[in-house]
């Protein structure tokens, strides 16, 4: 007697659990039970578990009967002709989805050749083991798993031809790679997923060597002349959005060039690009601070107090301007209405991004790096046949990371480029490395992929031969232009009078607790004080009661709120944050009394 | 050394620390010209002064950084004794934290017991080990039979184990009788029968008696859960899991000058604060060395000194060292600020602002390094 559980609830018993499980599976394959039902028989505790709940991870497998897969050549032909589709195969009981439980009762063959009569299922393809992005990595079975994971993660951040109708779209924060290329070394997934229609990289000539030390620590060197020919160029799109909001009392925002009377009016120069409708014209060259959409809003509080105010009902300035560090060309202007019926103005900006020092590049093997130097072609090393690399990759990145796939792709790319064909690098079923190397040899190159190189500056022949070939390199979306930041003086926070935080707010770079400790450890006491002077204030302190006094700038007089004018008041230099702390103490009914003492 | 040179040497007695002075006196050649002697002594003096810490040096902070930075590289691996009798020891970062927090109950208390000469040989050490290991009645029992109706308890004894411990059944039975009141006891061939004198209605009483008997110690030192004899140099010593320093040191076979345990609080209680100070240094340094880190011993010594200055152990926590700080602001800047501010406000505490954190807070130069020297001349 075996207990039967349906979705973890006891429903009854059966005579033989094993037979019952087979029965359920047979019924499912015959389509008399839904395809999403899975059964698991556990012989150890003699329990049958039937699952039909949601949220289970399931995967498709080809059913095997007596050592033969049910999917035959006939089916494949029908599939090619389009007479059959995936759903048909499931309905016919040729392919079924298993969950983690039912998988326990199966024996799955990895490849067709491995099939024995004991096998119950066959893997659809060996690369189904990896996910979609990971199966795009060529020669993946040659690299450690951790690197594959990184390689596939990096691919998601690559710039490419993300969508064909990008001109008609108002995407937030997107990049578009100029002249993307289909990889020379491909995998089966390249065509399945449509990657060849939307590629996101370029085939570059890569030399594995060092160059003046500018490619140490994962940096790469890029050929300046290649960049000038358009290598890894991209465009960055960013829209500015303004909505004419409606407020209570029938007041609305208005898109227009703001009047000079408007509260918060910037300056005439800032509005210079705006046309009569208050919107910028296309192809205008704009930089930070320039207004893109002119807009005014009604005054914030329309209370009774304002009635007595002579300057009442002045509108507020609420234009959309370019933020700190932004620049570009206005690409497209769109005027429309949103769901609430408010007028909506969107302006799309475009900025051409030419690769520069600090931009991030990666191969498909988790070998990411940052551009360390851009070198003119005339200074780069060249091979006997006159080839100069587009990119120089440091060999020190290889031994510890063991990304052999990276090295094989380089050779594969070389053969593909020379022979004018694509190389199949699908994980577990790639073209044999040996064959690729032999083909390279037959094309008149060395078997090991190295070539004699000459120093670009001196023309001298290099003592070592250089490993060189073609690789598919990706430009990642992390570009310095979006991240570079520095500050000397700038905006401060209202409450603490300390510098703001973050690049967007032109913030300061924090000197934290541990950094402070290093100053103390060096005994650089006065330098430390200077570093923390950002919120320095001179506060008048009443010597009698020890509280912060008030300085009347008009009368040029100081008085104490507690002791009045008839008291001794001294100026003390403290940090504003400490003054704030004392104020907070006061709000807790704690009396922070300052006892003043002469410093000297 | 002739008299003239001795006079020259004596001039340096106050300038040099006694240890260096004595060493000089011993090693200086007997025949030496006065010029050369002065040159040597002056050189020693320069070197001695050069190795002194300058006033205003932030020693505590440098120590903290010097221990803290390599500490980030420490692994969490536990160390295993190879062999059959395996013992787990807390090492690495958890152990360091345990010591610096001055925890009362450490994870793996241990002892290293050395024995006086006749007892530290290979043939005697097993006997010594079994003498120290705490054996309870439970360890020699093969079965308990509880008769609730008759309020009786039959304890079947594993005689093999009992003889291994060199005890006999009669003694054990006598021992139980002496420790537990209100029972009749009967000793059989390989069992002890216990019956309650007072046949009350409380059924649980038999169970209570059973539990009591199980926990009775028949041999060894209380708290020593495991023993492991090992060879250390020419002699054999015993490593233990669990510690009981006081009792072990009292045993006549034990070499009390070398026997140690790793529980700082226990050392403090038994041997005093100076021993505890040294124990902290030793224990921390053991971990640092095991991790292959290179930290100067003096940093550890400073931390240990800080923990022991008040004559009692204080951990580097808000209940220990930090509580002892004089400045309210400094205390408030480290965990539970509101508690410290309110407590200070209730008694009207005055903060002299003479330490580092307070001065960073109010944006004044910290009294260290270049911020330390003041102007002596009075400004009128």
């Amino acid at each position: 007697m075996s207990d039967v559980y349906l979705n973890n609830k006891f429903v009854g018993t059966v005579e033989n659990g094993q037979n019952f499980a087979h029965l359920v599976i047979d019924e499912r394959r015959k389509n008399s039970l839904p395809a999403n039902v899975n059964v698991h028989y556990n012989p150890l505790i003699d329990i049958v578990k039937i699952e039909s709940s949601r949220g289970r991870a399931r995967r498709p497998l080809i059913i095997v009967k007596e050592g033969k897969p049910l999917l035959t050549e006939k089916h494949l032909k029908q599939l090619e002709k389009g007479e059959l589709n995936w759903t048909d195969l499931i309905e016919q009981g040729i392919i079924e989805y298993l969950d983690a439980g039912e998988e326990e009762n199966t024996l799955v063959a990895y490849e067709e050749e491995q099939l024995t009569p004991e096998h119950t299922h066959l893997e659809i393809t060996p690369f189904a083991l990896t996910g979609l992005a990971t199966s795009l990595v060529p020669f993946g079975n040659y690299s450690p798993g951790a690197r594959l994971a990184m390689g596939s993660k990096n691919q998601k951040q690559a710039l490419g031809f993300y969508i064909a109708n990008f001109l008609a779209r108002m995407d937030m924060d997107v990049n578009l790679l100029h002249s993307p290329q289909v990889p020379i070394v491909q995998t089966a997934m390249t065509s399945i997923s449509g990657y060849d229609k939307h590629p996101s990289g370029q085939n570059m000539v890569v030399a594995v060597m060092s160059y003046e030390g500018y490619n140490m620590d994962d940096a790469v060197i890029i050929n300046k002349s290649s960049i000038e020919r358009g290598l890894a160029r991209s465009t960055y799109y960013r829209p500015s959005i303004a909505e004419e909001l409606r407020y209570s009392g029938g007041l609305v925002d208005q898109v227009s060039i703001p009047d000079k009377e408007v509260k918060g009016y910037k300056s005439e120069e800032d509005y210079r690009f705006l046309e009569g409708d208050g919107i910028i014209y296309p192809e205008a060259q704009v930089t930070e601070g320039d207004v893109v959409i002119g807009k005014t809003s009604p005054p914030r509080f329309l209370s009774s107090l304002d009635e007595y105010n002579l300057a009442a009902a002045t509108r507020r300035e609420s234009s959309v301007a370019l933020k700190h560090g932004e620049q570009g060309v206005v690409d497209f202007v769109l005027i429309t209405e949103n769901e609430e019926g408010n007028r909506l103005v969107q302006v799309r900006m475009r900025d051409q991004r030419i690769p520069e020092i600090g931009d991030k590049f990666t191969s498909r093997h988790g070998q990411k790096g940052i551009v360390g130097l851009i070198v003119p072609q005339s200074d780069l090393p060249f091979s006997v046949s006159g080839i100069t690399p587009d990119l120089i990759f440091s060999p020190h990145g290889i031994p510890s990371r063991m990304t052999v796939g990276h090295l094989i792709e380089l050779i594969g790319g070389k053969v593909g480029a020379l022979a004018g064909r694509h190389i199949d690098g699908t994980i577990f079923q790639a073209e044999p490395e040996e064959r690729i190397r032999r083909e390279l040899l037959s094309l008149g190159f060395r078997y090991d992929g190295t070539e004699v190189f000459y120093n670009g500056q001196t023309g001298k022949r290099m003592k070592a031969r250089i490993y060189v070939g073609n690789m598919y390199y990706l430009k990642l979306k992390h570009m310095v232009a979006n991240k570079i930041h520095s500050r000397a003086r700038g905006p401060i926070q209202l409450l603490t009078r300390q510098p703001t935080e973050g690049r967007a707010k032109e913030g300061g770079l924090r000197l934290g607790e541990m950094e402070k400790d290093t100053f103390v450890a060096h005994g650089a006491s006065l330098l430390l004080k200077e570093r923390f002077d950002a919120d320095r204030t001179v506060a008048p302190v009443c010597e009698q009661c020890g509280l912060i006094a008030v300085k009347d700038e008009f009368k040029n007089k100081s008085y104490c709120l507690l002791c009045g004018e008839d008291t001794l008041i001294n100026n003390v230099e403290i940090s504003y944050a400490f003054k704030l702390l004392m104020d907070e103490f006061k709000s807790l009914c704690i009396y922070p009394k300052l006892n003043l003492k002469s410093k000297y | 050394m002739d008299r003239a040179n001795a006079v020259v040497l004596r001039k340096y007695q106050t300038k040099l620390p006694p240890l260096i002075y004595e060493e000089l006196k011993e090693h200086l050649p007997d025949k030496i010209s006065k010029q050369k002697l002065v040159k040597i002594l002056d050189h020693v003096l320069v070197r001695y002064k050069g190795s002194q810490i300058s006033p205003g040096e932030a020693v505590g902070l440098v120590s903290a950084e010097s221990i803290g930075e390599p500490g980030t590289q420490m692994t969490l691996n536990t160390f295993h004794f190879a062999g059959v009798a395996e013992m787990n020891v807390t090492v690495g970062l958890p152990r360091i934290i345990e010591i610096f927090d001055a925890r009362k109950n450490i994870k793996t208390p241990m002892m290293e017991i050395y024995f006086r000469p006749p007892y530290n040989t290979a043939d005697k050490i097993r006997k010594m080990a079994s003498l120290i290991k705490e054996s309870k009645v439970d360890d020699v029992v093969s079965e308990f039979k509880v008769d609730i109706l008759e309020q009786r308890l039959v304890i079947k004894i594993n005689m093999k184990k009992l003889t291994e411990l060199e005890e006999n059944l009669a003694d054990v039975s006598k021992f139980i009788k002496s420790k537990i009141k209100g029972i009749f006891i009967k000793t059989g061939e390989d069992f002890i029968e216990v019956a309650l004198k007072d046949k009350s209605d409380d059924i649980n009483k038999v169970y209570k008696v059973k539990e009591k008997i199980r926990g009775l110690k028949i041999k060894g030192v209380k708290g020593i859960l495991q023993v492991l004899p090992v060879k250390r140099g020419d002699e054999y010593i015993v490593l233990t899991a669990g510690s009981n320093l006081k009792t072990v040191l009292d045993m006549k076979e034990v070499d009390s000058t070398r026997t140690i345990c790793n529980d700082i609080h226990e050392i403090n209680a038994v041997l005093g604060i100076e021993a505890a100070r040294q124990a902290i240094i030793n224990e921390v340094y053991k971990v640092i060395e095991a991790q292959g880190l290179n930290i100067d011993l003096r940093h550890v010594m400073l931390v240990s000194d800080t923990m022991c200055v008040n004559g009692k152990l204080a951990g580097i926590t808000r209940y220990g060292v930090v509580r002892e700080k004089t400045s309210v602001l400094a205390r408030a800047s480290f965990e539970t600020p509101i508690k410290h501010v309110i407590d200070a406000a209730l008694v009207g505490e005055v903060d002299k602002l003479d330490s580092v954190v307070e001065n960073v807070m109010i944006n004044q130069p910290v009294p260290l390094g270049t911020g330390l020297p003041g102007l002596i001349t009075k400004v009128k």
Side-chain angles (χ1 to χ4, degrees), chain A residues 353-373:
Chain A
R353 292 287 165 82
I354 298 168
E356 56 179 319
I357 292 175
D359 281 357
K360 195 175 174 185
F361 283 81
T362 181
S363 75
R364 289 175 286 177
H365 308 270
Q367 285 285 8
K368 55 180 185 276
I370 265 160
V371 177
L373 188 67

Side-chain angles (χ1 to χ4, degrees), chain A residues 255-318:
Chain A
V255 171
S256 63
I257 304 176
D259 285 337
K260 278 187 179 152
E261 287 85 59
V262 162
K263 209 168 138 197
Y265 186 81
K266 293 180 176 174
S267 74
E268 219 161 314
E269 202 202 325
D270 289 330
Y271 301 106
R272 69 190 185 281
F273 291 114
L274 300 188
E275 291 188 314
D277 57 359
I279 306 170
I280 200 164
Y281 57 87
E283 300 304 320
Q285 285 266 0
V286 282
T287 53
E288 64 180 71
D290 289 340
V291 173
V292 178
I293 305 165
K295 197 177 81 174
T296 54
S297 303
R300 212 177 290 242
F301 305 107
L302 263 187
S303 60
S304 53
L305 258 177
D306 285 325
E307 286 168 26
Y308 304 101
N309 196 343
L310 282 175
T314 47
R315 293 176 70 84
R316 279 181 301 125
E317 141 83 16
S318 59

Side-chain angles (χ1 to χ4, degrees), chain A residues 514 516-518 520-530 532-536 572-575 577-578 581 585 588 590 595 599-600, chain B residues 56-58 61-62 65 329 338 341-342 345 350 352-353 356-358 360-372 375 377 379:
Chain A
M514 293 173 89
K516 173 214 80 184
D517 288 348
T518 63
V520 179
H522 277 93
S525 178
L526 297 163
L527 185 61
L528 176 70
K529 180 185 175 297
E530 211 168 281
F532 282 137
D533 264 354
D535 66 341
R536 188 186 69 168
V572 176
E573 186 191 307
I574 52 166
S575 63
F578 187 67
L581 180 74
F585 282 162
L588 286 170
I590 293 171
N595 291 328
K599 226 175 181 178
Y600 305 105
Chain B
E57 182 85 44
L61 214 144
V62 171
E65 283 185 346
L329 291 174
I338 295 172
V341 169
I342 289 175
V350 177
K352 294 256 190 250
L353 302 177
V356 179
V357 201
E358 308 93 278
V360 171
M361 282 169 98
I362 61 166
N363 194 21
Q364 288 294 321
V366 290
L368 275 175
T370 53
L372 184 68
L375 206 57
T377 317
V379 183

Side-chain angles (χ1 to χ4, degrees), chain A residues 190-208:
Chain A
T190 311
S191 51
I192 296 172
S193 65
Y195 192 85
D196 50 356
K197 301 245 166 31
H198 295 273
S200 53
Q202 286 170 332
N203 295 295
M204 302 190 188
V205 177
V206 176
V208 181

Side-chain angles (χ1 to χ4, degrees), chain B residues 3 73 77 90 93 122 140 146 157-158 218 332 352:
Chain B
R3 187 175 289 172
Q73 299 163 27
N77 291 339
T90 334
L93 202 60
V140 294
V146 184
I157 302 288
N158 187 332
I218 45 175
K352 294 256 190 250

